[in-house]
Amino acid sequence: MAVSTTIEVVGVKNAINSLRKIDPQLQKDFKLDATAIAQPAINAGKAVYKNVPLSGMKYKWQEQGRSRANFPFTVAKAVNGVRMRFDTRRNAVGVILIEQKDPAAAIFETAGRANQNKLNTSLAFMGLPVSAGRTRLLGPAIYKARRGIEAEMVKMIAKTMRTVQREL
């Protein structure tokens, strides 16, 4: 289970896919530049994990009937779980996804969004509520860093478009 937050700039999906057809190296350079530009948002996402939210989350346990243990929650794994990925599929919601790949941290981020449960009640009592379609810590941190990233992305996309036009 992965939690993701998207930053969307309209028309980028088609541009990234077209770059591969024109010059694969140009697409690689574009992705490297985009990763460098998105680094402040990734760092902001990593910085929100400072401690274990509930004391019981630090122990190894699994739901009855499941073969995989989703916990323990550790700060180091939560920080390392924040990753960026490009998704240029036709039906994708966004292009640049900043995801939480650690199962325990993803459960913490999303518990109770759709249906109330004991974990959500405990986290809400600790001052960590969540609403439908949102995450507890990752989303708000990334949205705060979003404005500067979008402006830089637009500049980089314009530069790439000029490069492509010159090569055609």
Side-chain angles (χ1 to χ4, degrees):
M1 174 194 318
V3 176
S4 64
T5 300
T6 61
I7 297 173
E8 185 175 347
V9 180
V10 179
V12 175
K13 259 186 249 186
N14 296 334
I16 293 172
N17 290 332
S18 298
L19 289 176
R20 185 177 355 161
K21 293 174 189 172
I22 297 168
D23 183 8
Q25 185 60 41
L26 193 58
Q27 183 189 33
K28 288 178 186 177
D29 294 342
F30 179 86
K31 287 185 175 183
L32 284 173
D33 291 345
T35 303
I37 291 170
Q39 198 60 45
I42 296 168
N43 293 341
K46 290 180 177 190
V48 296
Y49 298 108
K50 294 182 176 101
N51 53 22
V52 178
L54 298 172
S55 62
M57 294 173 85
K58 67 182 175 186
Y59 299 108
K60 183 177 181 179
W61 59 275
Q62 66 189 42
E63 253 184 277
Q64 198 169 14
R66 296 237 174 175
S67 61
R68 181 180 69 167
N70 291 324
F71 284 91
F73 181 102
T74 62
V75 174
K77 284 185 180 179
V79 168
N80 288 335
V82 177
R83 304 233 174 93
M84 187 184 103
R85 177 172 68 92
F86 285 93
D87 191 1
T88 57
R89 295 174 298 161
R90 184 179 314 176
N91 60 348
V93 175
V95 176
I96 296 174
L97 303 172
I98 298 175
E99 302 176 321
Q100 177 53 265
K101 299 299 261 182
D102 178 50
I107 290 169
F108 158 72
E109 288 284 349
T110 61
R113 283 194 321 182
N115 301 313
Q116 290 295 320
N117 56 37
K118 290 179 183 178
L119 179 57
N120 179 50
T121 304
S122 298
L123 289 167
F125 182 74
M126 295 297 295
L128 298 167
V130 68
S131 57
R134 302 281 181 210
T135 57
R136 284 186 166 80
L137 301 176
L138 189 63
I142 291 170
Y143 282 123
K144 287 179 184 174
R146 186 177 78 171
R147 293 287 178 215
I149 291 169
E150 287 176 347
E152 290 297 317
M153 282 289 199
V154 169
K155 289 178 189 174
M156 186 201 50
I157 291 166
K159 178 183 137 192
T160 304
M161 288 172 62
R162 285 191 301 271
T163 304
V164 168
Q165 288 173 351
R166 270 187 266 139
E167 289 189 16
L168 293 178

